[in-house]
Amino acid sequence: MTENAPTISDDYTGEVSVGTGSQRRTLSHATIVKTSVGPMDNNAYLVICSRTGRSLLVDAANDAPTLRAVVDHVAPEVSLIVTTHQHFDHWQALEDVASATGAPSAAHPLDAEPLPVAPTRLLDDGDSVQVGDVTLNVIHLRGHTPGSIALALTDPESGVVHLFTGDSLFPGGVGKTDGEANFVSLLDDVESRIFGRYDDRTVVYPGHGKDTTLGSERPHLHEWRTRGW
């Protein structure tokens, strides 16, 4: 265990930054702990099964000591570390955290090669990940990188979906892409595989910045396509 316990607030707003501590949201069967790390304010998310205490870490992005402190404090039994995509700012702490926790890791096969730890499990569209009583469905979103994925968790009591989107969807638009073809690919996937599947209550947890909902973003889909980014 780490000597100094991290600051974790239960007043969840979805807006965190480096040095402000973590925030915790409680669902009917799980908790989500959001932490911002590193010079690019990357979000890392711990999803913890309420019954078993087992957890999944989404993006061991940076600042391994901070992530290890959060893990030690709230969920020392990490069952899996999922990397949403291959960009370096989302895996700087992966090797350290995986070694410290002994947790296996997972990523999409098209984004696996650059990672510092070879994924124990390869994830593709339609797969699911089980952590205790918590199931997260894998969604492949092509465009930001070839193998970007999102993870969808449905609260069984409320029916609300909690969606971890990496850098594929943010408040105000999709993630950055290299060229028009990749932009169209990403927006097409986001429209069909996210907005076409989930309702407006769905909460979006992006790889950087504050949370949003599909209801807040849906009216702007045509605007995003017209502007081209």
Side-chain angles (χ1 to χ4, degrees):
M1 296 288 288
T2 51
E3 183 176 345
N4 297 316
T7 301
I8 301 176
S9 171
D10 288 309
D11 181 19
Y12 191 88
T13 67
E15 190 167 2
V16 297
S17 58
V18 173
T20 64
S22 304
Q23 293 184 5
R24 175 166 44 207
R25 166 173 271 168
T26 301
L27 311 183
S28 66
H29 69 323
T31 56
I32 298 169
V33 177
K34 179 175 183 176
T35 307
S36 179
V37 291
M40 298 180 71
D41 275 317
N42 285 76
N43 294 324
Y45 300 94
L46 261 179
V47 180
I48 308 152
C49 172
S50 299
R51 183 181 66 84
T52 66
R54 294 178 181 174
S55 66
L56 176 144
L57 177 60
V58 181
D59 285 345
N62 209 312
D63 192 356
T66 291
L67 293 182
R68 291 200 310 268
V70 173
V71 165
D72 286 349
H73 187 64
V74 299
E77 190 175 349
V78 180
S79 296
L80 188 66
I81 303 170
V82 174
T83 303
T84 58
H85 63 288
Q86 64 175 276
H87 287 159
F88 75 96
D89 58 311
H90 288 261
W91 50 255
Q92 292 294 291
L94 175 58
E95 187 170 15
D96 192 321
V97 175
S99 176
T101 60
S105 63
H108 191 280
L110 293 177
D111 273 21
E113 193 277 331
L115 304 182
V117 176
T120 313
R121 180 178 175 187
L122 297 176
L123 301 174
D124 209 340
D125 191 66
D127 288 347
S128 62
V129 173
Q130 192 77 27
V131 180
D133 298 334
V134 180
T135 301
L136 300 100
N137 296 315
V138 179
I139 306 162
H140 184 198
L141 300 170
R142 301 158 292 186
H144 181 66
T145 65
S148 288
I149 57 173
L151 298 172
L153 178 165
T154 303
D155 186 322
E157 189 171 289
S158 68
V160 173
V161 175
H162 298 263
L163 192 63
F164 304 90
T165 57
D167 283 0
S168 291
L169 179 62
F170 294 97
V174 296
K176 291 182 180 179
T177 54
D178 181 14
E180 181 181 357
N182 284 332
F183 166 73
V184 172
S185 174
L186 179 56
L187 186 53
D188 284 351
D189 275 1
V190 165
E191 281 194 307
S192 64
R193 298 182 178 186
I194 293 181
F195 286 93
R197 186 177 298 170
Y198 301 111
D199 66 28
D200 285 352
R201 299 178 300 162
T202 300
V203 183
V204 175
Y205 302 85
H208 307 263
K210 63 183 180 180
D211 302 349
T212 186
T213 65
L214 293 190
S216 296
E217 307 304 325
R218 194 183 301 273
H220 305 290
L221 285 169
H222 179 70
E223 170 193 336
W224 301 349
R225 192 174 292 277
T226 299
R227 76 189 185 190
W229 53 274

